[in-house]
Amino acid sequence: MQSMSDFLNATANAAKQQIPHLGTYTCFTSAETANKRVGHGVSYFGDTMDILGLTSYANFVGSDMYTGTCVLDICACAAELDNKPAWLIEADARMKMPARKLFAQSYVALGAGFKGLCYYEWRGDYPYEGTPLPDNCGFLHYDGTKGLEFDEKMKLMPIINKYSTELALAKRTHNGVAILHSDYGCSTGEALANLDAGGINVWQKESIMIYTQLMRKKLQVDFMRAEHLAENQFGVKVLFVPMLDFLSEEERALVEAFVQNGGEVYYTDRRVSFGTINTFGYINSKKPKKNETCDEFEGAWEIDDIVEMHDLTPMVQTNNRHLFAKVIEGEDYYFVTVCNNSMHYKKFINQKLDIALPFKAARLITPEGEFELAVENGSVVIPEIDY
C-alpha cells in the first residue's frame, strides 16, 4: 500500500543517520487524487522526512482547478498534522507554460500553506542525444535566451521574496469541514475497480466530487485520517466519508467515536430511493437509511443543505463562480490568495470580496504592483482580476 513511501523513508532515515544536521525530503510525483494511487505505493501521510515535498504539474483552470488544488490541500494537511512544512520541491515551470499558470500555481500553493516553492527549472536541459526532455523545463532556454513570457513571469519572484518570511510563518486556516483520508478505503475502491479496463476507483471519485462541491461553496477544505479525529487538530465539525462501507473496522470505530463526541458525519451511498444511483447526495450517519419498502424514506442530503444546516461560513465569499480564495493566517495578518479558473480566460472588473475575518486595512499585491484597498463593512473591491 505504501511500498514506495516506505522505501523513500528508509533511504532518508539512513542518510539522516550519517548527516543528522541536514534536512531530508523527496518530491512525490504521485498525485493523491490518482485513479491508481494505491498501485503507486505512495501516501503523503506517514512520511518520516523533515519536509513533505511534492511535485506538481497540475493545471489550475477550468475543472482542473479542483483536482490540482485538492492534491495541494491533501499534502499541506498531511504536513500540518505531522508538524512539518510542505514544499513544492518541483513546481511546474515548463518552457511553454504561460505566465498565468505560473501565477495560479503559486497562489494556490501559498494559500494552501506551502512553505517553499522550487520552480523546475531555471534553464532548460541541453538537447544532446538521449536527453529525455531537451529544453522542456525552465524560464530560460538552454542557450540562455528567454522562454515564453519570461519578463512577465519574473514579476512574481520579487513579490514572493519580499513577503517570504510572513508567508512561511503563516498557517492554514480551517472552516470546520474535512474529508476522511483512508488508504484502506482507497485500496478497497481500487480492488473493486477493473482499472485496466477503464474502471474508476469509486473512493477517489467520491472524494474529488465532495471536495469540488465544497470548493464551489468557497470553503477551506481539510483532509484527516481516522486516527486524527480524537484530537481534532483542525476543529472539524462536519466530516465527509466518501464510502463508509469501504473503511476498516478500526476506522469505523474511530469515526463513530467522533460522532459520539458531537461531530457530524455524512457519507456516500451508491443507492438512494428505489435503487436509483445516488448523485451528489449524502447520508447522515445519525440517520441511516431505513427499509424503503416499509418505512418512511428520508433521502440524501445535498451539500448546500449540509453547509447551511451546520453554519459552515466561508472566510472569503464572492458571487463569481470562477473566483476561489484561500486564506493563511500570521500573528497579526492574513494572506488571501485569489485565483480565476475561467476557461474563457476572462478578466473580471470590480469584484467584491466579503471577508469574514477581523481586519481594518487591506493591500492588493499583484505582479504589477501593490495598491491599498478601501475596506467597508468587511468587504473590499478588487479593481481587476486577470486570468
Side-chain angles (χ1 to χ4, degrees):
M1 195 181 299
Q2 296 188 39
S3 56
M4 180 56 73
S5 290
D6 292 342
F7 168 75
L8 294 170
N9 286 331
T11 54
N13 293 337
K16 193 76 170 179
Q17 291 174 10
Q18 300 300 314
I19 316 177
H21 66 281
L22 293 183
T24 56
Y25 63 87
T26 187
C27 53
F28 284 120
T29 57
S30 176
E32 282 277 354
T33 54
N35 193 38
K36 197 177 181 180
R37 179 180 74 76
V38 176
H40 295 162
V42 169
S43 177
Y44 302 162
F45 291 84
D47 174 69
T48 62
M49 287 172 262
D50 297 311
I51 295 172
L52 183 51
L54 184 66
T55 295
S56 176
Y57 286 86
N59 208 340
F60 294 93
V61 68
S63 64
D64 287 21
M65 165 67 81
Y66 308 113
T67 51
T69 305
C70 184
V71 173
L72 298 183
D73 274 337
I74 296 173
C75 183
C77 287
E80 184 174 346
L81 288 165
D82 206 20
N83 195 30
K84 66 175 66 174
W87 280 46
L88 262 188
I89 299 295
E90 186 175 333
D92 190 358
R94 282 172 290 178
M95 197 70 66
K96 296 180 180 180
M97 183 177 72
R100 59 177 170 77
K101 182 178 185 295
L102 180 77
F103 298 162
Q105 172 187 243
S106 303
Y107 298 157
V108 170
L110 293 171
F114 277 71
K115 307 306 180 186
L117 300 177
C118 303
Y119 298 104
Y120 188 83
E121 48 198 347
W122 177 249
R123 186 166 175 164
D125 293 334
Y126 187 82
Y128 63 85
E129 184 178 354
T131 306
L133 294 169
D135 203 31
N136 185 68
C137 297
F139 296 118
L140 296 176
H141 291 288
Y142 73 94
D143 60 3
T145 58
K146 295 178 179 179
L148 178 68
E149 299 182 7
F150 174 87
D151 293 330
E152 188 71 13
K153 292 173 182 176
M154 290 303 103
K155 293 177 181 179
L156 179 66
M157 305 309 160
I159 297 173
I160 295 177
N161 289 332
K162 177 180 178 179
Y163 292 100
S164 60
T165 299
E166 290 85 355
L167 288 165
L169 292 175
K171 298 180 179 180
R172 281 177 62 89
T173 55
H174 308 285
N175 253 136
V177 61
I179 299 170
L180 190 72
H181 184 280
S182 167
D183 283 340
Y184 196 97
C186 188
S187 299
T188 304
E190 196 160 308
L192 293 174
N194 188 351
L195 300 183
D196 293 334
I200 298 294
N201 184 331
V202 179
W203 176 277
Q204 293 290 74
K205 182 177 181 180
E206 291 297 334
S207 295
I208 296 168
M209 287 171 66
I210 295 167
Y211 180 86
T212 298
Q213 292 179 84
L214 292 172
M215 274 277 289
R216 287 175 175 167
K217 300 301 293 182
K218 314 298 184 181
L219 296 169
Q220 316 280 318
V221 186
D222 291 318
F223 287 84
M224 299 177 72
R225 289 196 163 187
E227 59 262 34
H228 301 128
L229 292 173
E231 183 179 353
N232 198 4
Q233 182 176 331
F234 297 157
V236 174
K237 297 187 296 182
V238 177
L239 178 71
F240 285 88
V241 178
M243 304 294 291
L244 188 64
D245 56 338
F246 281 19
L247 300 181
S248 67
E249 291 184 7
E250 181 182 0
E251 287 174 320
R252 292 191 69 156
L254 291 170
V255 169
E256 179 57 30
F258 172 74
V259 174
Q260 294 301 318
N261 288 328
E264 296 286 344
V265 170
Y266 291 85
Y267 62 91
T268 304
D269 194 299
R270 286 156 289 182
R271 285 181 31 166
V272 283
S273 56
F274 205 59
T276 55
I277 293 176
N278 183 6
T279 57
F280 303 108
Y282 303 93
I283 307 297
N284 188 314
S285 67
K286 295 177 181 177
K287 299 178 180 179
K289 290 198 311 182
K290 299 179 181 179
N291 184 323
E292 59 189 79
T293 303
C294 306
D295 301 318
E296 182 181 353
F297 188 78
E298 183 171 314
W301 291 83
E302 294 185 81
I303 288 281
D304 298 67
D305 293 323
I306 296 171
V307 168
E308 180 180 328
M309 181 169 60
H310 297 293
D311 194 27
L312 298 175
T313 305
M315 296 179 188
V316 181
Q317 182 63 278
T318 167
N319 292 326
N320 190 323
R321 65 185 180 89
H322 291 299
L323 299 182
F324 297 90
K326 301 186 79 64
V327 181
I328 53 176
E329 180 179 1
E331 187 173 344
D332 57 357
Y333 60 90
Y334 298 95
F335 280 101
V336 177
T337 62
V338 181
C339 284
N340 172 4
N341 81 327
S342 170
M343 284 291 289
H344 297 292
Y345 304 129
K346 292 180 179 179
K347 291 184 180 181
F348 297 109
I349 307 300
N350 294 330
Q351 293 296 299
K352 182 182 178 184
L353 302 183
D354 297 319
I355 305 174
L357 297 168
F359 74 105
K360 295 180 180 179
R363 178 181 302 168
L364 178 63
I365 304 170
T366 77
E368 302 302 327
E370 301 185 24
F371 314 90
E372 299 300 322
L373 296 175
V375 179
E376 184 175 350
N377 298 323
S379 299
V380 298
V381 175
I382 300 180
E384 180 179 296
I385 299 179
D386 209 338
Y387 53 79

